[in-house]
Amino acid sequence: MIDFDYTLTTVVLGGALVGLLSGVFGVYAVLRKQSLLGDTISHSALPGIALVFLVLQVKHPLALILGAMVSGWLGTMIISSVSNRTRIKLDTIMAVVLAVFFGLGLALLSLIQKLPTANQAGLTKFLYGNASTMLRQDVYVMAGFSAVALIVVFLLWKEFKLATFDVDFARSLGFPIRALDMILLSLIVVAITIGLQMVGVVLMSAMLVAPAAAARQWTNRMGVMTLISAFFGMLASVSGALLSSTIEKLPTGPSTVCIITLVFVFSILFAPTRGLLWQGLKRRYNHGEIALARILEELYWLAQNHDSLAHYHELRLLQAINHQRIDTYIANLSRQKLVELSGAGGIRLTAAGLERAESAIEETNGSAAKS
Amino acid sequence: MNNESPASCAPLDVEDLTVAYHEKPVLWDVDCKIAKGTLLAIVGPNGAGKSTFIKACLGLVPTAAGRVNIFGKPYAANRKKVGYVPQRESVDWDFPTHALDVVMMGRYGHLGWFARPGRPERDAAMDALEKVGMAEFAHRQISQLSGGQQQRVFLARALVQDSALYFMDEPFSGVDAATERAIMQLLQELRSQGKTVVVVHHDLQTLNEYFDWCMLLNVRRVAIGPVEEVLTKENLHRAYGGRAAFLRA
């Protein structure tokens, strides 16, 4: 490593571009429930890369990326035209296209390796990704494509959003859905192919889907989701690329995917509102609130029977409701000063408790009347 | 511009409309012409082609034959005069956006390409939410709205389209009583403004109370006209078969 700074900045810049673009366009893949599409596109790109090398004998990044794009785009066009013209299910078509294109790509790669002239500087990096072989030249090409893709998505933001949320309504307003879909699909192809050298065809789909799926956990706005997704994508691919260029023989794809997986799992667990932890706590809180209200109501009816609040009822009566954790709930109520406990195993409502019980009963009746 | 003034043209004039999926006819030779200010209900059994009729009018499904004219012109030439409320189930309500944003989508057709919604669109959307009693939920994530509230958001979105003819696909399906009343008031208000509304409906009981006209559909058009005239035993029998007996008890 003579020029470490050069390699490092190249890797960081390249990683940032890959993460940014796959983060932004992953949002559409996720919201349109087309997560598998990324996998198909990336695998479909492989024969294009191999063919460009085989026929033109060049390894210029622009040529390889264009080859990948044409081939990936061809794969998606086959998918959409077959699914439009036949009754074959989309996932079936995608699985077939993925396998056929990937198989073809692998066959071509092994052919290339048998060529006497082959300078081996491996096209295999396109399988698992290799950030450290990246040159400034690669970054420039990636930056050019990224800029175009981001400008288009910025200009067509409203159209893409509407077509993603409510396609029939968008069509009824006169937006040409087929053309919009085609543009968006092509941009997803761009986002995937520029990431192939770094992440590899095998794992690229994770880079498309995971940042967006993680970002969805943190926000309820599509714009914010896109920003967070881009951030997660950049975070994962920059740190994944740095990891793999410092640890020998660690391909970039797997290291990147491991990091984005951590981000994803963290988001699933800990994001506010949508996170599993938050939802679990909320459910427990709700159960608790309902149980407390039930106990107050119970005491209210007991008090009604006795025509007096002052009367202490036997705790055992409530325990007979046989609610799990009844003692915890009663302790809780008494802490809130909604009930009073007598030393001799008695319980009664306080004035505040009575008020709460009445409003709880009203609420139950109200919602019953409504439905 | 057309020489004929829009006022002299029927808001909706459908002739010989035929739609087929995979060679099976879904709509067969349907005619439907209605006057300005009509509240028209489309009723019929499941699979009668009610939604398909609306979608065919809007060019959302390919037609095998027939013509649809909106104020005397094909739909593609008169889009801005038409508002649309799709079925509530047709979209994913977990989409990351809030009610106000969905309502603003009703202005996208007027905005045209590239332009972003701004202050006027926001104000129009707030007014529409106010009208359907949803102003306080403007910034609520749409998945956190009840079914009836979601339906009202869709109605508000159609209102900001500010159209002369509305198509509504089952707006009353699965809504609470409050929403049903709100929709009813809205329909009557639209009519009093001289607007025309075509509604896919499935409750024969409320037909007379809510609508002026009704089209009975079962692939073919069974009958069309004022509600009382259409809801005869013979017509119902032709549309629903034996199942109609209990419907008019």
Side-chain angles (χ1 to χ4, degrees):
Chain A
M1 297 213 177
I2 307 155
D3 197 352
F4 185 72
D5 276 344
Y6 175 86
T7 316
L8 201 68
T9 39
T10 307
V11 162
V12 168
L13 284 174
L17 285 172
V18 170
L20 173 67
L21 219 55
S22 51
V24 168
F25 288 97
V27 167
Y28 294 96
V30 167
L31 292 180
R32 289 170 169 242
K33 304 180 181 64
Q34 292 176 332
S35 300
L36 263 179
L37 191 71
D39 217 16
T40 318
I41 294 173
S42 66
H43 284 79
S44 303
L46 193 59
I49 296 167
L51 268 179
V52 164
F53 182 74
L54 204 58
V55 176
L56 303 177
Q57 301 281 329
V58 292
K59 271 202 294 193
H60 190 280
L62 187 61
L64 292 180
I65 284 186
L66 283 176
M69 275 177 198
V70 170
S71 170
W73 196 77
L74 200 69
T76 61
M77 287 307 116
I78 292 176
I79 294 168
S80 68
S81 65
V82 173
S83 95
N84 282 339
R85 285 179 178 75
T86 68
R87 292 199 216 179
I88 305 171
K89 294 279 173 287
L90 195 63
D91 64 328
T92 311
I93 306 167
M94 287 205 278
V96 172
V97 169
L98 183 153
V100 169
F101 273 73
F102 189 51
L104 186 66
L106 288 178
L108 289 171
L109 276 190
S110 65
L111 197 67
I112 287 168
Q113 266 156 7
K114 283 190 195 118
L115 285 180
T117 56
N119 53 356
Q120 293 288 352
L123 290 181
T124 46
K125 70 182 173 202
F126 283 102
L127 282 181
Y128 303 113
N130 192 341
S132 54
T133 61
M134 205 147 51
L135 305 170
R136 231 2 108 72
Q137 208 183 9
D138 298 304
V139 175
Y140 294 147
V141 171
M142 288 160 64
F145 281 113
S146 306
V148 173
L150 290 174
I151 288 170
V152 174
V153 86
F154 179 78
L155 287 176
L156 291 176
W157 174 260
K158 151 177 128 274
E159 288 77 9
F160 284 157
K161 178 162 92 172
L162 181 61
T164 301
F165 172 63
D166 192 345
V167 66
D168 273 351
F169 189 72
R171 202 176 276 140
S172 85
L173 296 182
F175 289 106
I177 296 304
R178 209 181 256 269
L180 282 172
D181 279 353
M182 202 71 94
I183 296 170
L184 186 55
L185 207 59
S186 305
L187 295 179
I188 293 178
V189 170
V190 170
I192 286 174
T193 43
I194 72 152
L196 289 182
Q197 186 183 353
M198 268 193 79
V199 185
V201 302
V202 179
L203 295 173
M204 190 56 208
S205 68
M207 269 311 287
L208 192 71
V209 174
R216 178 68 186 92
Q217 291 292 106
W218 298 93
T219 177
N220 279 326
R221 303 298 315 274
M222 189 175 165
V224 182
M225 177 181 170
T226 307
L227 292 178
I228 297 177
S229 178
F231 170 72
F232 282 166
M234 294 202 289
L235 179 75
S237 70
V238 168
S239 46
L242 285 176
L243 261 183
S244 86
S245 29
T246 40
I247 301 172
E248 224 175 312
K249 290 207 170 147
L250 176 65
T252 316
S255 64
T256 305
V257 167
C258 285
I259 291 165
I260 195 60
T261 305
L262 287 181
V263 173
F264 179 68
V265 170
F266 181 83
S267 304
I268 295 287
L269 290 178
F270 301 115
T273 322
R274 291 176 77 92
L276 288 177
L277 180 73
W278 201 91
Q279 294 205 332
L281 288 176
K282 171 114 198 274
R283 199 169 308 130
R284 207 172 134 171
Y285 173 80
N286 283 345
H287 280 180
E289 286 295 292
I290 291 168
L292 293 186
R294 281 279 328 271
I295 293 167
L296 288 178
E297 281 179 43
E298 230 36 80
L299 284 168
Y300 174 84
W301 297 120
L302 286 173
Q304 292 284 306
N305 285 345
H306 289 269
D307 286 328
S308 123
L309 267 184
H311 186 85
Y312 275 108
H313 310 283
E314 279 192 55
L315 253 179
R316 275 183 305 172
L317 212 64
L318 284 181
Q319 281 154 348
I321 303 174
N322 199 13
H323 203 294
Q324 280 177 331
R325 312 198 305 150
I326 185 97
D327 294 327
T328 329
Y329 290 139
I330 289 173
N332 187 338
L333 286 173
S334 114
R335 236 188 350 266
Q336 295 185 50
K337 301 217 182 323
L338 296 173
V339 299
E340 276 174 311
L341 299 171
S342 77
I347 182 168
R348 68 179 184 190
L349 282 175
T350 62
L354 178 73
E355 211 170 283
R356 187 73 70 84
E358 278 169 344
S359 74
I361 288 164
E362 208 167 283
E363 222 167 84
T364 333
N365 290 343
S367 64
K370 237 188 260 169
S371 64
Chain B
M1 283 301 279
N2 200 326
N3 291 335
E4 254 176 318
S5 79
S8 66
C9 293
L12 179 65
D13 185 1
V14 176
E15 279 174 48
D16 308 334
L17 187 66
T18 301
V19 177
Y21 290 137
H22 299 296
E23 283 136 43
K24 189 171 156 266
V26 184
L27 280 179
W28 190 259
D29 196 27
V30 174
D31 295 336
C32 174
K33 186 171 181 175
I34 49 175
K36 187 166 171 278
T38 310
L39 296 184
L40 172 79
I42 303 178
V43 288
N46 288 332
K50 303 184 293 284
S51 290
T52 307
F53 177 80
I54 283 188
K55 287 185 175 170
C57 289
L58 293 168
L60 300 179
V61 295
T63 55
R67 285 183 305 109
V68 176
N69 276 325
I70 309 250
F71 293 105
K73 288 188 208 165
Y75 176 55
N78 239 345
R79 285 184 200 283
K80 292 201 173 118
K81 292 213 171 103
V82 178
Y84 177 39
V85 179
Q87 276 184 30
R88 182 162 56 84
E89 293 81 9
S90 66
V91 304
D92 175 12
W93 288 94
D94 197 36
F95 192 86
T97 189
H98 53 51
L100 184 67
D101 197 41
V102 172
V103 177
M104 281 196 284
M105 290 177 185
R107 297 303 299 170
Y108 283 11
H110 296 257
L111 278 171
W113 290 94
F114 310 126
R116 299 288 171 95
R119 189 88 242 167
E121 285 72 31
R122 185 170 287 268
D123 291 345
M126 266 325 286
D127 283 351
L129 279 172
E130 193 93 48
K131 262 188 204 143
V132 298
M134 288 285 293
E136 55 181 313
F137 299 104
H139 294 282
R140 180 79 63 93
Q141 152 68 15
I142 54 174
S143 66
Q144 282 156 20
L145 300 171
S146 73
Q149 291 169 335
Q150 291 172 347
Q151 189 66 63
R152 283 192 256 172
V153 168
F154 261 13
L155 284 165
R157 183 176 71 173
L159 286 181
V160 302
Q161 289 188 270
D162 194 21
S163 310
L165 170 65
Y166 285 96
F167 289 97
M168 302 183 179
D169 203 343
E170 306 224 12
F172 292 101
S173 112
V175 302
D176 51 289
T179 301
E180 182 151 346
R181 272 194 305 278
I183 300 175
M184 247 351 283
Q185 277 168 11
L186 200 66
L187 289 182
Q188 266 144 22
E189 201 183 313
L190 288 173
R191 174 173 51 191
S192 70
Q193 293 166 7
K195 308 201 168 186
T196 311
V197 191
V198 176
V199 180
V200 170
H201 196 54
H202 53 213
D203 182 9
L204 293 177
Q205 313 294 338
T206 52
L207 214 50
N208 219 337
E209 181 188 345
Y210 291 177
F211 295 97
D212 316 319
W213 266 43
C214 146
M215 174 161 79
L216 257 179
L217 200 64
N218 190 358
V219 183
R220 292 161 188 275
R221 191 192 78 186
V222 174
I224 187 168
V227 175
E228 302 98 83
E229 286 174 31
V230 167
L231 287 191
T232 63
K233 241 187 196 134
E234 306 89 81
N235 281 341
L236 285 171
H237 188 80
R238 277 169 63 206
Y240 287 87
R243 281 169 293 164
F246 67 94
L247 291 168
R248 288 287 281 176

